[in-house]
Amino acid sequence: MVPRDDFARMKQIEADLRRMTKVFMDGADSIVIRDLQGRIVDANREVERVFGWSRQDLLGLPAKDLLPQEWHDLADQNMARCLAGEPVRNAEGVVRSKSGQLIPILSTAFLLTDENDQPVAIANIVKDITGLKQVSARLEQRNRELKQFVSAVSHDLGEPLRAIRGFVELLRDGYQDRLGNDAREWIQFVVDGVERMQRLIDDLLDYSRLESQAITFETVDCNTVLVQALANLHASVVESGAVITSDRLPTLSGNASQLLQLIQNLIGNAIKYRSKEPPTVHLAAERIDGGWHVFVRDNGIGIAPAQHEKIFDIFHRLHSREQIPGSGVGLATCRAIVERHGGRIWVDSQPGQGSVFHFTLPSKPAAAKDASAG
Ligand code: ADP
């Protein structure tokens, strides 16, 4: 006879097993169990719903047979990683359904072991990402169209503007003596307006190019970039009496001209949005996991917390052009640059207490990272 304690324990184990089997069979993702040779030994209901293969179709079948040929090498590599005890998470792949349709998936695989820690099987949890792929393809297409649109509009606006400017300047210079004071003033308004619009278009063009053009990475010494930025800002530094200091900045892999634009925009803003005090700006950097955290601190007018995110949106400005000139493209450009490098940008600030603009840059930029696969 089985002793009562053991009997209760067996009942408990049986109940646990029933519960786990239900979780396995009714799970919202497809789950496939393979033996150590890669043959399928079990599959849940979701596999049939998504891929059309019944459990009977699959039992004993090498899992690789469900993948198109071009995915076989990757599948072998992932299997080897799994067998070595290294779980493979969210690896992209493609599975052929029973009807022959190719279904994009994300698969997580890990080793199952027995009570002696010996490998017995491999579990694969497989997510169908068809919907996600479609949405992301549509978004990419929209984005491409939008960029083409911005770039076309900017080019097409530039030409008539140059014509307006040219003829108004001819009018101003050629008819000086015949124009009254009012007319001369109005002509100057036109020239100023055209100049402003030209700057706006140039900023927009720069912004749209950031996204549309391929980016190249090289080793960039940010200290050299800072020297260049200060040379470009020389006039406004002198005019405002700004004092700009910096700790040692990192040397990293990035795009030199974009990093120049980033640092120059942030310092330029720190000077532009100064308080009544002469501007002081300090740059510093610290190492973080996988890269660098750089910050630019100023003693300017500061920014209300409600605006901390919005100021990075294109055309979002907190001041009228009459108060402080600008196009509202600078920080959007900074964000696009940082994101293209695989980092993020944010601000800490309170009105009247200066601002600290922070950004992170990975040591290994996004475009140079290994393509996700596995
Ligand atoms: P712009 O300077 O052309 O207006 P930006 O995109 O560079 O455009 O900045 C957006 C807004 O963020 C600015 O209009 C300004 O109100 C605010 N801002 C940016 N930098 C600072 C700063 N260092 N201190 C205070 N406000 C700032």
PDB file of all heavy atoms in Angstrom, residues 92-126:
ATOM      1  N   GLU A  92      14.528  36.462 -34.793  1.00  0.00           N
ATOM      2  CA  GLU A  92      13.618  36.568 -35.943  1.00  0.00           C
ATOM      3  C   GLU A  92      13.757  35.346 -36.830  1.00  0.00           C
ATOM      4  O   GLU A  92      14.836  34.762 -36.935  1.00  0.00           O
ATOM      5  CB  GLU A  92      13.935  37.819 -36.751  1.00  0.00           C
ATOM      6  CG  GLU A  92      13.222  39.030 -36.200  1.00  0.00           C
ATOM      7  CD  GLU A  92      13.021  40.101 -37.261  1.00  0.00           C
ATOM      8  OE1 GLU A  92      12.540  39.769 -38.365  1.00  0.00           O
ATOM      9  OE2 GLU A  92      13.354  41.254 -36.956  1.00  0.00           O
ATOM     10  N   GLY A  93      12.683  34.973 -37.466  1.00  0.00           N
ATOM     11  CA  GLY A  93      12.735  33.847 -38.380  1.00  0.00           C
ATOM     12  C   GLY A  93      11.474  33.798 -39.224  1.00  0.00           C
ATOM     13  O   GLY A  93      10.647  34.711 -39.171  1.00  0.00           O
ATOM     14  N   VAL A  94      11.346  32.748 -40.013  1.00  0.00           N
ATOM     15  CA  VAL A  94      10.174  32.567 -40.874  1.00  0.00           C
ATOM     16  C   VAL A  94       9.784  31.096 -40.819  1.00  0.00           C
ATOM     17  O   VAL A  94      10.656  30.228 -40.883  1.00  0.00           O
ATOM     18  CB  VAL A  94      10.501  32.977 -42.323  1.00  0.00           C
ATOM     19  CG1 VAL A  94       9.389  32.557 -43.269  1.00  0.00           C
ATOM     20  CG2 VAL A  94      10.744  34.476 -42.424  1.00  0.00           C
ATOM     21  N   VAL A  95       8.480  30.827 -40.671  1.00  0.00           N
ATOM     22  CA  VAL A  95       8.011  29.434 -40.659  1.00  0.00           C
ATOM     23  C   VAL A  95       7.038  29.238 -41.825  1.00  0.00           C
ATOM     24  O   VAL A  95       6.221  30.122 -42.113  1.00  0.00           O
ATOM     25  CB  VAL A  95       7.298  29.127 -39.320  1.00  0.00           C
ATOM     26  CG1 VAL A  95       6.570  27.792 -39.389  1.00  0.00           C
ATOM     27  CG2 VAL A  95       8.303  29.116 -38.170  1.00  0.00           C
ATOM     28  N   ARG A  96       7.166  28.090 -42.492  1.00  0.00           N
ATOM     29  CA  ARG A  96       6.228  27.796 -43.583  1.00  0.00           C
ATOM     30  C   ARG A  96       4.986  27.140 -42.991  1.00  0.00           C
ATOM     31  O   ARG A  96       5.090  26.148 -42.270  1.00  0.00           O
ATOM     32  CB  ARG A  96       6.889  26.876 -44.616  1.00  0.00           C
ATOM     33  CG  ARG A  96       5.999  26.655 -45.822  1.00  0.00           C
ATOM     34  CD  ARG A  96       6.622  25.823 -46.914  1.00  0.00           C
ATOM     35  NE  ARG A  96       7.704  26.521 -47.612  1.00  0.00           N
ATOM     36  CZ  ARG A  96       8.982  26.170 -47.555  1.00  0.00           C
ATOM     37  NH1 ARG A  96       9.339  25.152 -46.822  1.00  0.00           N
ATOM     38  NH2 ARG A  96       9.904  26.830 -48.214  1.00  0.00           N
ATOM     39  N   SER A  97       3.809  27.708 -43.289  1.00  0.00           N
ATOM     40  CA  SER A  97       2.574  27.128 -42.744  1.00  0.00           C
ATOM     41  C   SER A  97       2.191  25.921 -43.600  1.00  0.00           C
ATOM     42  O   SER A  97       2.774  25.684 -44.665  1.00  0.00           O
ATOM     43  CB  SER A  97       1.457  28.170 -42.763  1.00  0.00           C
ATOM     44  OG  SER A  97       1.033  28.341 -44.098  1.00  0.00           O
ATOM     45  N   LYS A  98       1.162  25.185 -43.148  1.00  0.00           N
ATOM     46  CA  LYS A  98       0.767  23.986 -43.892  1.00  0.00           C
ATOM     47  C   LYS A  98       0.308  24.357 -45.304  1.00  0.00           C
ATOM     48  O   LYS A  98       0.539  23.625 -46.267  1.00  0.00           O
ATOM     49  CB  LYS A  98      -0.354  23.251 -43.150  1.00  0.00           C
ATOM     50  CG  LYS A  98      -0.640  21.904 -43.745  1.00  0.00           C
ATOM     51  CD  LYS A  98      -1.426  21.029 -42.810  1.00  0.00           C
ATOM     52  CE  LYS A  98      -1.574  19.645 -43.419  1.00  0.00           C
ATOM     53  NZ  LYS A  98      -2.297  18.742 -42.563  1.00  0.00           N
ATOM     54  N   SER A  99      -0.296  25.579 -45.433  1.00  0.00           N
ATOM     55  CA  SER A  99      -0.780  25.978 -46.757  1.00  0.00           C
ATOM     56  C   SER A  99       0.337  26.594 -47.608  1.00  0.00           C
ATOM     57  O   SER A  99       0.093  27.082 -48.710  1.00  0.00           O
ATOM     58  CB  SER A  99      -1.926  26.984 -46.601  1.00  0.00           C
ATOM     59  OG  SER A  99      -1.416  28.148 -45.979  1.00  0.00           O
ATOM     60  N   GLY A 100       1.568  26.633 -47.074  1.00  0.00           N
ATOM     61  CA  GLY A 100       2.706  27.120 -47.857  1.00  0.00           C
ATOM     62  C   GLY A 100       3.007  28.597 -47.653  1.00  0.00           C
ATOM     63  O   GLY A 100       3.942  29.143 -48.240  1.00  0.00           O
ATOM     64  N   GLN A 101       2.218  29.260 -46.788  1.00  0.00           N
ATOM     65  CA  GLN A 101       2.443  30.686 -46.537  1.00  0.00           C
ATOM     66  C   GLN A 101       3.673  30.865 -45.636  1.00  0.00           C
ATOM     67  O   GLN A 101       3.889  30.052 -44.719  1.00  0.00           O
ATOM     68  CB  GLN A 101       1.190  31.214 -45.834  1.00  0.00           C
ATOM     69  CG  GLN A 101       1.111  32.709 -45.728  1.00  0.00           C
ATOM     70  CD  GLN A 101       0.008  33.106 -44.758  1.00  0.00           C
ATOM     71  OE1 GLN A 101      -0.831  32.287 -44.370  1.00  0.00           O
ATOM     72  NE2 GLN A 101       0.022  34.369 -44.371  1.00  0.00           N
ATOM     73  N   LEU A 102       4.479  31.911 -45.903  1.00  0.00           N
ATOM     74  CA  LEU A 102       5.647  32.156 -45.044  1.00  0.00           C
ATOM     75  C   LEU A 102       5.246  33.141 -43.946  1.00  0.00           C
ATOM     76  O   LEU A 102       4.833  34.267 -44.234  1.00  0.00           O
ATOM     77  CB  LEU A 102       6.802  32.715 -45.876  1.00  0.00           C
ATOM     78  CG  LEU A 102       7.341  31.737 -46.930  1.00  0.00           C
ATOM     79  CD1 LEU A 102       8.450  32.362 -47.752  1.00  0.00           C
ATOM     80  CD2 LEU A 102       7.838  30.446 -46.267  1.00  0.00           C
ATOM     81  N   ILE A 103       5.369  32.711 -42.704  1.00  0.00           N
ATOM     82  CA  ILE A 103       4.896  33.537 -41.583  1.00  0.00           C
ATOM     83  C   ILE A 103       6.097  34.039 -40.773  1.00  0.00           C
ATOM     84  O   ILE A 103       6.886  33.229 -40.271  1.00  0.00           O
ATOM     85  CB  ILE A 103       3.950  32.712 -40.683  1.00  0.00           C
ATOM     86  CG1 ILE A 103       2.748  32.258 -41.531  1.00  0.00           C
ATOM     87  CG2 ILE A 103       3.517  33.502 -39.463  1.00  0.00           C
ATOM     88  CD1 ILE A 103       1.699  31.516 -40.773  1.00  0.00           C
ATOM     89  N   PRO A 104       6.251  35.382 -40.656  1.00  0.00           N
ATOM     90  CA  PRO A 104       7.379  35.910 -39.866  1.00  0.00           C
ATOM     91  C   PRO A 104       7.144  35.660 -38.375  1.00  0.00           C
ATOM     92  O   PRO A 104       6.016  35.826 -37.895  1.00  0.00           O
ATOM     93  CB  PRO A 104       7.370  37.408 -40.176  1.00  0.00           C
ATOM     94  CG  PRO A 104       5.990  37.710 -40.620  1.00  0.00           C
ATOM     95  CD  PRO A 104       5.414  36.457 -41.205  1.00  0.00           C
ATOM     96  N   ILE A 105       8.206  35.279 -37.687  1.00  0.00           N
ATOM     97  CA  ILE A 105       8.050  34.944 -36.262  1.00  0.00           C
ATOM     98  C   ILE A 105       9.196  35.509 -35.419  1.00  0.00           C
ATOM     99  O   ILE A 105      10.249  35.871 -35.935  1.00  0.00           O
ATOM    100  CB  ILE A 105       8.056  33.413 -36.047  1.00  0.00           C
ATOM    101  CG1 ILE A 105       9.336  32.805 -36.668  1.00  0.00           C
ATOM    102  CG2 ILE A 105       6.831  32.750 -36.617  1.00  0.00           C
ATOM    103  CD1 ILE A 105       9.931  31.733 -35.838  1.00  0.00           C
ATOM    104  N   LEU A 106       8.931  35.567 -34.117  1.00  0.00           N
ATOM    105  CA  LEU A 106       9.991  35.775 -33.125  1.00  0.00           C
ATOM    106  C   LEU A 106      10.002  34.519 -32.273  1.00  0.00           C
ATOM    107  O   LEU A 106       8.944  34.092 -31.792  1.00  0.00           O
ATOM    108  CB  LEU A 106       9.672  36.965 -32.227  1.00  0.00           C
ATOM    109  CG  LEU A 106       9.912  38.362 -32.767  1.00  0.00           C
ATOM    110  CD1 LEU A 106       9.609  39.376 -31.672  1.00  0.00           C
ATOM    111  CD2 LEU A 106      11.345  38.547 -33.243  1.00  0.00           C
ATOM    112  N   SER A 107      11.171  33.932 -32.099  1.00  0.00           N
ATOM    113  CA  SER A 107      11.197  32.670 -31.368  1.00  0.00           C
ATOM    114  C   SER A 107      12.165  32.750 -30.185  1.00  0.00           C
ATOM    115  O   SER A 107      13.275  33.257 -30.303  1.00  0.00           O
ATOM    116  CB  SER A 107      11.633  31.565 -32.336  1.00  0.00           C
ATOM    117  OG  SER A 107      12.121  30.478 -31.620  1.00  0.00           O
ATOM    118  N   THR A 108      11.694  32.263 -29.046  1.00  0.00           N
ATOM    119  CA  THR A 108      12.552  32.168 -27.866  1.00  0.00           C
ATOM    120  C   THR A 108      12.765  30.679 -27.583  1.00  0.00           C
ATOM    121  O   THR A 108      11.791  29.922 -27.522  1.00  0.00           O
ATOM    122  CB  THR A 108      11.884  32.868 -26.665  1.00  0.00           C
ATOM    123  OG1 THR A 108      11.848  34.261 -26.948  1.00  0.00           O
ATOM    124  CG2 THR A 108      12.660  32.637 -25.378  1.00  0.00           C
ATOM    125  N   ALA A 109      14.017  30.287 -27.467  1.00  0.00           N
ATOM    126  CA  ALA A 109      14.303  28.856 -27.287  1.00  0.00           C
ATOM    127  C   ALA A 109      15.211  28.655 -26.079  1.00  0.00           C
ATOM    128  O   ALA A 109      16.098  29.474 -25.819  1.00  0.00           O
ATOM    129  CB  ALA A 109      14.986  28.317 -28.541  1.00  0.00           C
ATOM    130  N   PHE A 110      14.942  27.590 -25.337  1.00  0.00           N
ATOM    131  CA  PHE A 110      15.805  27.285 -24.193  1.00  0.00           C
ATOM    132  C   PHE A 110      15.814  25.779 -23.927  1.00  0.00           C
ATOM    133  O   PHE A 110      14.908  25.051 -24.366  1.00  0.00           O
ATOM    134  CB  PHE A 110      15.379  28.064 -22.935  1.00  0.00           C
ATOM    135  CG  PHE A 110      13.912  27.992 -22.649  1.00  0.00           C
ATOM    136  CD1 PHE A 110      13.391  26.998 -21.848  1.00  0.00           C
ATOM    137  CD2 PHE A 110      13.040  28.926 -23.207  1.00  0.00           C
ATOM    138  CE1 PHE A 110      12.039  26.928 -21.587  1.00  0.00           C
ATOM    139  CE2 PHE A 110      11.678  28.862 -22.958  1.00  0.00           C
ATOM    140  CZ  PHE A 110      11.171  27.854 -22.152  1.00  0.00           C
ATOM    141  N   LEU A 111      16.841  25.381 -23.203  1.00  0.00           N
ATOM    142  CA  LEU A 111      17.063  23.949 -22.965  1.00  0.00           C
ATOM    143  C   LEU A 111      16.209  23.473 -21.782  1.00  0.00           C
ATOM    144  O   LEU A 111      16.069  24.176 -20.790  1.00  0.00           O
ATOM    145  CB  LEU A 111      18.553  23.788 -22.633  1.00  0.00           C
ATOM    146  CG  LEU A 111      19.177  22.423 -22.746  1.00  0.00           C
ATOM    147  CD1 LEU A 111      19.019  21.861 -24.152  1.00  0.00           C
ATOM    148  CD2 LEU A 111      20.663  22.504 -22.385  1.00  0.00           C
ATOM    149  N   LEU A 112      15.634  22.274 -21.914  1.00  0.00           N
ATOM    150  CA  LEU A 112      14.931  21.654 -20.778  1.00  0.00           C
ATOM    151  C   LEU A 112      15.831  20.550 -20.238  1.00  0.00           C
ATOM    152  O   LEU A 112      16.416  19.784 -21.018  1.00  0.00           O
ATOM    153  CB  LEU A 112      13.597  21.072 -21.234  1.00  0.00           C
ATOM    154  CG  LEU A 112      12.612  22.075 -21.857  1.00  0.00           C
ATOM    155  CD1 LEU A 112      11.371  21.351 -22.360  1.00  0.00           C
ATOM    156  CD2 LEU A 112      12.229  23.159 -20.859  1.00  0.00           C
ATOM    157  N   THR A 113      15.928  20.471 -18.908  1.00  0.00           N
ATOM    158  CA  THR A 113      16.835  19.465 -18.323  1.00  0.00           C
ATOM    159  C   THR A 113      16.064  18.549 -17.367  1.00  0.00           C
ATOM    160  O   THR A 113      14.965  18.892 -16.920  1.00  0.00           O
ATOM    161  CB  THR A 113      17.972  20.156 -17.532  1.00  0.00           C
ATOM    162  OG1 THR A 113      17.371  21.075 -16.630  1.00  0.00           O
ATOM    163  CG2 THR A 113      18.923  20.889 -18.441  1.00  0.00           C
ATOM    164  N   ASP A 114      16.644  17.380 -17.060  1.00  0.00           N
ATOM    165  CA  ASP A 114      15.986  16.471 -16.116  1.00  0.00           C
ATOM    166  C   ASP A 114      16.449  16.790 -14.690  1.00  0.00           C
ATOM    167  O   ASP A 114      17.165  17.767 -14.459  1.00  0.00           O
ATOM    168  CB  ASP A 114      16.240  15.008 -16.508  1.00  0.00           C
ATOM    169  CG  ASP A 114      17.726  14.653 -16.413  1.00  0.00           C
ATOM    170  OD1 ASP A 114      18.496  15.459 -15.828  1.00  0.00           O
ATOM    171  OD2 ASP A 114      18.113  13.593 -16.932  1.00  0.00           O
ATOM    172  N   GLU A 115      16.049  15.903 -13.760  1.00  0.00           N
ATOM    173  CA  GLU A 115      16.346  16.211 -12.351  1.00  0.00           C
ATOM    174  C   GLU A 115      17.841  16.179 -12.053  1.00  0.00           C
ATOM    175  O   GLU A 115      18.293  16.721 -11.054  1.00  0.00           O
ATOM    176  CB  GLU A 115      15.572  15.262 -11.415  1.00  0.00           C
ATOM    177  CG  GLU A 115      15.963  13.794 -11.501  1.00  0.00           C
ATOM    178  CD  GLU A 115      15.256  13.045 -12.646  1.00  0.00           C
ATOM    179  OE1 GLU A 115      14.740  13.711 -13.577  1.00  0.00           O
ATOM    180  OE2 GLU A 115      15.234  11.804 -12.626  1.00  0.00           O
ATOM    181  N   ASN A 116      18.634  15.591 -12.977  1.00  0.00           N
ATOM    182  CA  ASN A 116      20.095  15.592 -12.785  1.00  0.00           C
ATOM    183  C   ASN A 116      20.768  16.681 -13.608  1.00  0.00           C
ATOM    184  O   ASN A 116      21.966  16.634 -13.850  1.00  0.00           O
ATOM    185  CB  ASN A 116      20.684  14.235 -13.174  1.00  0.00           C
ATOM    186  CG  ASN A 116      20.103  13.129 -12.334  1.00  0.00           C
ATOM    187  OD1 ASN A 116      19.957  13.300 -11.117  1.00  0.00           O
ATOM    188  ND2 ASN A 116      19.726  12.028 -12.974  1.00  0.00           N
ATOM    189  N   ASP A 117      19.947  17.618 -14.081  1.00  0.00           N
ATOM    190  CA  ASP A 117      20.474  18.730 -14.876  1.00  0.00           C
ATOM    191  C   ASP A 117      20.994  18.289 -16.242  1.00  0.00           C
ATOM    192  O   ASP A 117      21.799  18.994 -16.855  1.00  0.00           O
ATOM    193  CB  ASP A 117      21.607  19.449 -14.120  1.00  0.00           C
ATOM    194  CG  ASP A 117      21.179  20.850 -13.747  1.00  0.00           C
ATOM    195  OD1 ASP A 117      20.004  21.188 -14.006  1.00  0.00           O
ATOM    196  OD2 ASP A 117      22.018  21.609 -13.223  1.00  0.00           O
ATOM    197  N   GLN A 118      20.569  17.141 -16.681  1.00  0.00           N
ATOM    198  CA  GLN A 118      20.996  16.666 -18.001  1.00  0.00           C
ATOM    199  C   GLN A 118      19.994  17.151 -19.058  1.00  0.00           C
ATOM    200  O   GLN A 118      18.784  17.094 -18.829  1.00  0.00           O
ATOM    201  CB  GLN A 118      21.046  15.128 -18.034  1.00  0.00           C
ATOM    202  CG  GLN A 118      22.130  14.524 -17.163  1.00  0.00           C
ATOM    203  CD  GLN A 118      23.496  15.104 -17.487  1.00  0.00           C
ATOM    204  OE1 GLN A 118      23.944  15.076 -18.628  1.00  0.00           O
ATOM    205  NE2 GLN A 118      24.155  15.674 -16.479  1.00  0.00           N
ATOM    206  N   PRO A 119      20.483  17.649 -20.218  1.00  0.00           N
ATOM    207  CA  PRO A 119      19.561  18.143 -21.247  1.00  0.00           C
ATOM    208  C   PRO A 119      18.656  17.024 -21.763  1.00  0.00           C
ATOM    209  O   PRO A 119      19.144  15.903 -21.993  1.00  0.00           O
ATOM    210  CB  PRO A 119      20.474  18.637 -22.369  1.00  0.00           C
ATOM    211  CG  PRO A 119      21.858  18.306 -21.984  1.00  0.00           C
ATOM    212  CD  PRO A 119      21.890  17.794 -20.581  1.00  0.00           C
ATOM    213  N   VAL A 120      17.351  17.333 -21.896  1.00  0.00           N
ATOM    214  CA  VAL A 120      16.447  16.323 -22.449  1.00  0.00           C
ATOM    215  C   VAL A 120      15.707  16.829 -23.685  1.00  0.00           C
ATOM    216  O   VAL A 120      15.313  16.046 -24.547  1.00  0.00           O
ATOM    217  CB  VAL A 120      15.407  15.841 -21.408  1.00  0.00           C
ATOM    218  CG1 VAL A 120      16.047  14.936 -20.389  1.00  0.00           C
ATOM    219  CG2 VAL A 120      14.712  17.011 -20.736  1.00  0.00           C
ATOM    220  N   ALA A 121      15.509  18.138 -23.772  1.00  0.00           N
ATOM    221  CA  ALA A 121      14.741  18.665 -24.908  1.00  0.00           C
ATOM    222  C   ALA A 121      14.957  20.171 -25.022  1.00  0.00           C
ATOM    223  O   ALA A 121      15.608  20.787 -24.170  1.00  0.00           O
ATOM    224  CB  ALA A 121      13.256  18.375 -24.699  1.00  0.00           C
ATOM    225  N   ILE A 122      14.426  20.736 -26.113  1.00  0.00           N
ATOM    226  CA  ILE A 122      14.498  22.191 -26.313  1.00  0.00           C
ATOM    227  C   ILE A 122      13.073  22.710 -26.469  1.00  0.00           C
ATOM    228  O   ILE A 122      12.273  22.139 -27.224  1.00  0.00           O
ATOM    229  CB  ILE A 122      15.311  22.531 -27.569  1.00  0.00           C
ATOM    230  CG1 ILE A 122      16.780  22.159 -27.349  1.00  0.00           C
ATOM    231  CG2 ILE A 122      15.197  24.011 -27.921  1.00  0.00           C
ATOM    232  CD1 ILE A 122      17.615  22.238 -28.584  1.00  0.00           C
ATOM    233  N   ALA A 123      12.749  23.775 -25.726  1.00  0.00           N
ATOM    234  CA  ALA A 123      11.415  24.377 -25.857  1.00  0.00           C
ATOM    235  C   ALA A 123      11.528  25.628 -26.727  1.00  0.00           C
ATOM    236  O   ALA A 123      12.468  26.411 -26.579  1.00  0.00           O
ATOM    237  CB  ALA A 123      10.888  24.761 -24.486  1.00  0.00           C
ATOM    238  N   ASN A 124      10.563  25.783 -27.638  1.00  0.00           N
ATOM    239  CA  ASN A 124      10.518  26.984 -28.485  1.00  0.00           C
ATOM    240  C   ASN A 124       9.173  27.680 -28.277  1.00  0.00           C
ATOM    241  O   ASN A 124       8.135  27.056 -28.480  1.00  0.00           O
ATOM    242  CB  ASN A 124      10.565  26.604 -29.967  1.00  0.00           C
ATOM    243  CG  ASN A 124      11.970  26.574 -30.483  1.00  0.00           C
ATOM    244  OD1 ASN A 124      12.665  25.600 -30.257  1.00  0.00           O
ATOM    245  ND2 ASN A 124      12.380  27.635 -31.161  1.00  0.00           N
ATOM    246  N   ILE A 125       9.220  28.957 -27.873  1.00  0.00           N
ATOM    247  CA  ILE A 125       7.975  29.731 -27.790  1.00  0.00           C
ATOM    248  C   ILE A 125       7.984  30.667 -28.999  1.00  0.00           C
ATOM    249  O   ILE A 125       8.926  31.448 -29.181  1.00  0.00           O
ATOM    250  CB  ILE A 125       7.910  30.521 -26.479  1.00  0.00           C
ATOM    251  CG1 ILE A 125       7.999  29.536 -25.316  1.00  0.00           C
ATOM    252  CG2 ILE A 125       6.629  31.349 -26.404  1.00  0.00           C
ATOM    253  CD1 ILE A 125       8.030  30.174 -23.963  1.00  0.00           C
ATOM    254  N   VAL A 126       6.960  30.548 -29.833  1.00  0.00           N
ATOM    255  CA  VAL A 126       7.004  31.206 -31.146  1.00  0.00           C
ATOM    256  C   VAL A 126       5.854  32.200 -31.284  1.00  0.00           C
ATOM    257  O   VAL A 126       4.687  31.839 -31.139  1.00  0.00           O
ATOM    258  CB  VAL A 126       6.891  30.125 -32.260  1.00  0.00           C
ATOM    259  CG1 VAL A 126       6.950  30.780 -33.634  1.00  0.00           C
ATOM    260  CG2 VAL A 126       8.005  29.100 -32.115  1.00  0.00           C
TER     261      VAL A 126
END
